[in-house]
Each structure stands twice: as structure tokens, then as C-alpha cells.
Amino acid sequence: MDRQGSNFLAVCQQVKDMLKSNAVAITLPIGEENDFKGVVDLVKNQAIVWHDATQGATFDIVDIPADMIDEVKHYRSILIEEIATYDENLLDKYMEDENSITEEEINNALRAATMDMAIIPMIAGSSFKNKGVQFMLDAVCKYLPSPMDKEGISGIHPDDAELLEEDQTQILRKPDVKEPFAALAFKIATDPFVGRLCFVRAYSGKLEAGSYVLNTRSDNKERISRIFQMHANKQNQIPELGAGDIGAVVGFKDIKTGDTLCAENAPIILESMDFPDPVIGLAIEPKTQADTDRLSIGLSKLSEEDPTFRVNTDEETGQTIISGMGELHLEIIIDRLKREFKVEVNQGAPQVAYREAITGATEHREVYKKQSGGRGKFADIYVKISAQTNEEKTGLEFINSIKGGNIPREFIPSVEKGFKDSMKNGVLAGFPIEAMVVELIDGSYHNVDSDSLSFELCAKMAYRAALKACSPILLEPIMKLEVVTPEENMGDVVGDLNRRRGMMKGMDDRNGAKVLKADVPLSEMFGYVTQLRTITSGRASSSMEFSHYAEAPRNISDDVVAKSKG
């Protein structure tokens, strides 16, 4: 509420209009922007004013300001009417006298309505000045569902992981400490005093310090030496973690974000998280040779913490390439290297993570024959390579159509591996191939000279030779952009987006400003935030996230290919 232009009731209306949800105010702000002092609690019908001197840690319960009495009466009446409409038991009481409904009855009905998604309670506050934080946390406890209100969490047995979703057997774990232990690792962090911390949410059972858990991703046991209850950047050591608790564990060797940790005798895989591939890369090097080791340590710790941040070394140039979800993401990474790991870096120009795809199909025979003294190498495959028609499928779809044992069964996986490895480098400019279908139709082998490696190499040679006949194209990352701009600057902003090959997707109004939504190629968005500030005198803001890959125009494709060859 202390931000410029903040309007609590306008946001409530937006939630109704844009999200089609029944937003009901349960507080009203006292003042706004720099004058924001506190809130009126519509349930208890009292005002709460926070103390600036204690940064919102303390507050006073006071009388409702005289100039707000009518407004409070109006919105409290709306709140009680909505609750009475939801709860038929309170409807009769409401009809007789709305003031006869007690605070406990309001809270009980509001909790039931919130859990049923019939009402969305709206609360005002300021996180920056800590005003309203205590009220909001109390409201979370009062109105939102606890784990005990859910039947439990479901997962699958590790043996079912390779099966189709409809064939998997669901295992239910109830939120009870007597159930077998199951938890999800949702964040890895590095603490200068404790070392590597893994934040976990326990769904069932309990975990004691010093005990072992099974990581179902790696199928390895992990010893949890200590467990901490986290309070911002402070840790309180606790003896155990029970169902419903969130804590941080220490002592593990190999846990990653999204891993399921469970009891050894009751394995389960909980639903994990999907992380998009990075869309932008940056070459970096330490400013001084002495910082090389520190840079390496810093990057490995940061990539462990953030699954959308990747680090790799370019084999041709030897450069360290960091990749992430956008310019801002990589700027923060470089800033953290400086602050936390005391490493200054030089950085190159950002590079877009293009992809390649094929649009045609071809059939190709590849024979790999190598004779040297003694045993030779021999493999012969006949394949059909085509584009993937199912947009949801990525990677390699390999179809084995070999009849009559023309290629022994043990060599077939090697052919598949050869094509899968080759997809990391496309034939246009060396970018990964997004998806393709390879059908192994025929082939032959030699009793003595054929082996797995021969067929793998033969597949790689077939890939390089045949893909040029499949009409390869370059794909570029398209970003979903949202710009909030004053109306008088809208024409300039739209014109700038058109110059950047932007595709307008919609326009909206928000608090007197215009909201523009567009799809724009990432390659055109470098330095956009600075340009946007210049166009609008610093009054516009933008947010951007990855949307999809789309075919790059011919001139862009030719430039990228020429650079890769140069």
C-alpha cells in the first residue's frame, strides 16, 4: 500500500474482473502511498495502526478513524452479506439483524468459503515497512487449508516411473507422523557457516537428525546429520522434522531441487518440478588469473542452487558460458559472484540460445567400414529421418523396424544413442535439434568386425550426411512481454515493439495506465529496459518470460549461420 499509485479497492475489482474470482475485502487501508498507517479489520470492526519507529514490529488497536466510519460500515456489510449468501445457516440471522452474527461465526464461514474458492479474502499491507504482516499471517492460519484438511499427497512407485501416466499406480501418503516418511526437496542454498542446506517440505512421517533417507532420483541413501528450522537467515537446530513441517537439512551428498526423499522401506516419487531450458548465454572470465578457482567454486554453487542456471565450457573456444532465463537473471548471477564470492568478471556480448529443427524427411543408407591390421569396424544401417509431427514431444523418437535379425538386438540401442548424441549439434549452425523421428528400417552386420561402437559411429555419420536433405531450419526463442505504460507513450512503445519484430497479443487498462501484451524474439530484446525508460521518461515497466520457440526469418537465420561458420 505504500507504493505510488496503490489503490486497494481497484485491485479487489481487478481480481473480480480479470481472474473471475469473488474478491471480498476483509480489511480496509488507513491512508495510502506515503500516508499508509494501518488497516481496519472488518471482521473485528477495529483499527490497527503500526509504529514506524519499530519497522512494523509493534502496533496499537485504536478506534476506527471518524472519516472512515461510513466506508467501513458499507464494506463490512458487503463482507457479512457474502458470507451469509454462502452459509445458509447464517442467512436467517442476517435477514433478522446482520450485527447478530458473531466474530466466530464470520471466521468459520469465511474459512469454509475460502477453502471452497467461493470467496477470495483481500488484505492490505506493506511488506517493505512490515505493516499488516502479522494480520496476514493470522489470516493464513485462520482461513487457508492446513495439510490436515487434505486427504494426503499422491505419488508413484519408482518402478512405475517409466510407464505411461495412465498405467502408473498412485500411492497416497496421509499428513500423519505415523505414515512412512516422504518429503520434497524444493531449494538448495549455501550458507557460509553451515555449508550446503537443502530446504525440504515433509508431507508424511517424520525425519530424525542422524537418520538415513532414500533419494528416489539417484536411488542412493543420504544421511541427514542435522535439521534446522529456518528464521530468515538464522537457523535453529531441531531434533526432527514432522509431517507438514518445512525445514533445512545438512549432511547430504547429492540432492537436487525437485528430488523426493523418503523412507528406505517405502519408496515413492512425488510430483517434481519442470524447469525450462535457458534461452540466453554469456561468455565470462575472471578479471585476474588468481580468481579462476574462486569463479569455478562460485559458479558450481550458484548452478546447484538454481536449476534454470547452467554453466558449460565451449569446446572450440575454451570459454566459460553461463546460461539463464534472461538478461536480468544473468546480471543478478554476476552481481552475486561479486558480492558473495568476491570474484570480478569480464563478460562478452549475450548470445541467444537458438535451436534447430527439420521440416522434411529423407531415407538414407550409411555404411561404416574401417580396416586396419587385425579386427576391423563394420556397420550398415538404412534409416528414415523425419520431422516430429506431435508438438508436445521433444527429443528423439526412435522406431525400430528391423525384421529377421538383420541387425542383432544388442546393437540397436547403440544406433539410438548415436542419433541422440548427435542431436546436440545441428547441421546449420551447431545448435541443438529440438525434435525428430528416426526409423531404423534395415541394415547388415559382420560377425567379427561389428560391435556397438561401430553402429554408434555409423548413426552419427548418417545423421550428418542425411540431415541436410531434411530442410533444416533455425528456431529462435520467443518471449512473452508485458509492458505497463502511460497512455500518452503508448504509440511510441508499440512502434518500438514493431521495430523489434513484436507481435501484439492484446491491450488492457490498469489503474489509468495501458497494459500491452506481445510476443517478441529474444534476440531483439537486449537493452530493452533502458530503451523503454528513455521512451517513457522512466514511467513504464516491463516483465518478460519465455514463451516458445518459432522459426527465425530467413535473413536472421542466414546471419546466425554465417557467424557460426565464420
Side-chain angles (χ1 to χ4, degrees), residues 5-269:
S6 55
N7 186 330
F8 176 68
L9 295 173
V11 173
C12 291
Q13 193 58 46
Q14 278 181 344
V15 172
K16 280 187 172 181
D17 298 340
M18 295 168 70
L19 303 178
K20 304 290 183 275
S21 296
N22 186 19
V24 178
I26 62 169
T27 66
L28 284 179
I30 302 172
E32 56 189 36
E33 297 183 10
N34 290 337
D35 299 325
F36 177 60
K37 292 195 271 298
V39 299
V40 174
D41 179 348
L42 295 178
V43 177
K44 291 186 174 177
N45 212 13
Q46 63 186 21
I48 308 165
V49 175
W50 278 268
H51 302 151
D52 282 322
T54 60
Q55 277 288 302
T58 57
F59 55 86
D60 290 326
I61 307 289
V62 297
D63 292 333
I64 296 167
D67 61 340
M68 288 185 68
I69 287 174
D70 290 342
E71 187 186 18
V72 168
K73 195 173 178 184
H74 172 69
Y75 282 100
R76 189 169 196 271
S77 178
I78 291 174
L79 168 63
I80 293 173
E81 185 182 339
E82 288 287 350
I83 287 168
T85 305
Y86 176 78
D87 189 337
E88 290 179 4
N89 297 328
L90 297 179
L91 200 54
D92 294 338
K93 271 182 119 174
Y94 173 73
M95 292 299 187
E96 288 169 22
D97 176 14
E98 67 176 64
N99 294 319
S100 66
I101 299 176
T102 64
E103 183 190 323
E104 188 182 356
E105 285 174 327
I106 292 175
N107 282 330
N108 291 341
L110 193 52
R111 175 178 166 79
T114 304
M115 286 167 60
D116 199 20
M117 300 290 277
I119 287 177
I120 307 293
M122 300 293 288
I123 299 169
S126 157
S127 58
F128 179 62
K129 294 183 177 168
N130 295 321
K131 293 178 181 177
V133 174
Q134 301 95 329
F135 184 94
M136 189 198 69
L137 291 172
D138 287 344
V140 166
C141 296
K142 272 185 209 161
Y143 307 126
L144 295 186
S146 93
M148 304 307 289
D149 295 311
K150 298 267 289 177
E151 189 182 0
I153 187 154
S154 62
I156 58 166
H157 195 279
D159 294 345
D160 289 357
E162 301 296 320
L163 299 177
L164 294 172
E165 200 170 320
E166 57 267 24
D167 297 332
Q168 293 170 344
T169 306
Q170 295 293 315
I171 305 169
L172 185 74
R173 289 283 161 83
K174 293 178 180 168
D176 189 339
V177 288
K178 292 178 183 150
E179 288 267 304
F181 179 70
L184 189 71
F186 64 87
K187 180 179 170 63
I188 306 290
T190 307
D191 185 275
F193 305 108
V194 183
R196 282 160 73 227
L197 286 167
C198 173
F199 286 77
V200 296
R201 154 75 150 91
Y203 286 96
S204 65
K206 66 178 179 180
L207 172 69
E208 294 175 350
S211 61
Y212 285 87
V213 291
L214 174 70
N215 181 344
T216 46
R217 174 187 57 82
S218 62
D219 203 26
N220 289 332
K221 287 197 300 183
E222 293 280 357
R223 184 175 185 272
I224 305 303
S225 57
R226 286 178 293 165
I227 303 171
F228 294 103
Q229 189 180 53
M230 303 301 290
H231 287 274
N233 58 352
K234 296 187 184 73
Q235 305 99 9
N236 292 344
Q237 194 165 338
I238 53 175
E240 63 180 36
L241 196 71
D245 288 344
I246 290 176
V249 299
V250 174
F252 57 91
K253 285 194 180 115
D254 173 30
I255 297 179
K256 291 182 178 168
T257 305
D259 284 356
T260 300
L261 308 177
C262 59
E264 296 172 63
N265 57 357
I268 187 173
I269 298 178

Side-chain angles (χ1 to χ4, degrees), residues 239-495:
E240 63 180 36
L241 196 71
D245 288 344
I246 290 176
V249 299
V250 174
F252 57 91
K253 285 194 180 115
D254 173 30
I255 297 179
K256 291 182 178 168
T257 305
D259 284 356
T260 300
L261 308 177
C262 59
E264 296 172 63
N265 57 357
I268 187 173
I269 298 178
L270 302 176
E271 186 180 354
S272 188
M273 306 169 213
D274 290 325
F275 301 108
D277 288 331
V279 292
I280 185 169
L282 200 64
I284 62 166
E285 62 180 21
K287 280 193 174 171
T288 62
Q289 202 59 37
D291 282 343
T292 305
D293 287 346
R294 267 199 305 210
L295 175 65
S296 174
I297 291 165
L299 290 175
S300 68
K301 285 184 176 175
L302 290 172
S303 63
E304 189 179 26
E305 284 181 27
D306 183 352
T308 58
F309 172 63
R310 312 267 171 86
V311 183
N312 65 299
T313 304
D314 189 310
E315 290 175 10
E316 292 178 12
T317 62
Q319 288 178 310
T320 300
I321 310 289
I322 60 172
S323 309
M325 300 311 298
E327 268 187 299
L328 180 64
H329 187 190
L330 296 185
E331 277 173 29
I332 291 167
I333 292 286
I334 287 167
D335 184 56
R336 286 188 65 190
L337 282 171
K338 194 172 169 181
R339 280 187 297 108
E340 295 173 28
F341 300 98
K342 309 289 184 281
V343 179
E344 296 267 1
V345 297
N346 297 321
Q347 58 192 74
Q351 300 294 317
V352 176
Y354 291 100
R355 293 275 189 278
E356 293 183 24
I358 55 173
T359 55
T362 188
E363 293 188 6
H364 180 80
R365 172 160 239 123
E366 187 70 42
V367 180
Y368 172 56
K369 206 184 275 187
K370 195 172 180 187
Q371 204 62 48
S372 55
R375 189 174 167 184
K377 298 273 185 197
F378 180 83
D380 168 25
I381 59 172
Y382 184 64
V383 291
K384 181 183 178 184
I385 299 175
S386 57
Q388 177 60 266
T389 52
N390 186 341
E391 288 182 10
E392 292 181 7
K393 284 191 177 180
T394 57
L396 174 68
E397 184 182 342
F398 186 77
I399 302 162
N400 176 19
S401 300
I402 291 289
K403 303 277 192 302
N406 287 357
I407 297 176
R409 195 179 299 160
E410 64 266 25
F411 297 149
I412 305 290
S414 300
V415 178
E416 183 177 358
K417 183 175 182 292
F419 279 107
K420 195 175 274 184
D421 289 350
S422 299
M423 284 176 71
K424 292 172 187 169
N425 298 98
V427 291
L428 274 182
F431 294 106
I433 289 270
E434 189 82 329
M436 70 177 192
V437 180
V438 173
E439 183 180 4
L440 181 57
I441 300 169
D442 198 5
S444 62
Y445 71 103
H446 188 279
N447 283 328
V448 177
D449 292 349
S450 290
D451 59 12
S452 296
L453 183 60
S454 300
F455 277 94
E456 187 180 327
L457 292 170
C458 188
K460 289 180 177 178
M461 290 163 65
Y463 171 88
R464 283 195 294 272
L467 230 64
K468 287 174 184 163
C470 294
S471 310
I473 57 169
L474 194 74
L475 302 176
E476 61 179 350
I478 305 294
M479 309 302 282
K480 197 187 293 177
L481 177 73
E482 184 176 288
V483 181
V484 181
T485 176
E487 190 166 355
E488 60 264 31
N489 301 116
M490 193 174 75
D492 293 333
V493 173
V494 171

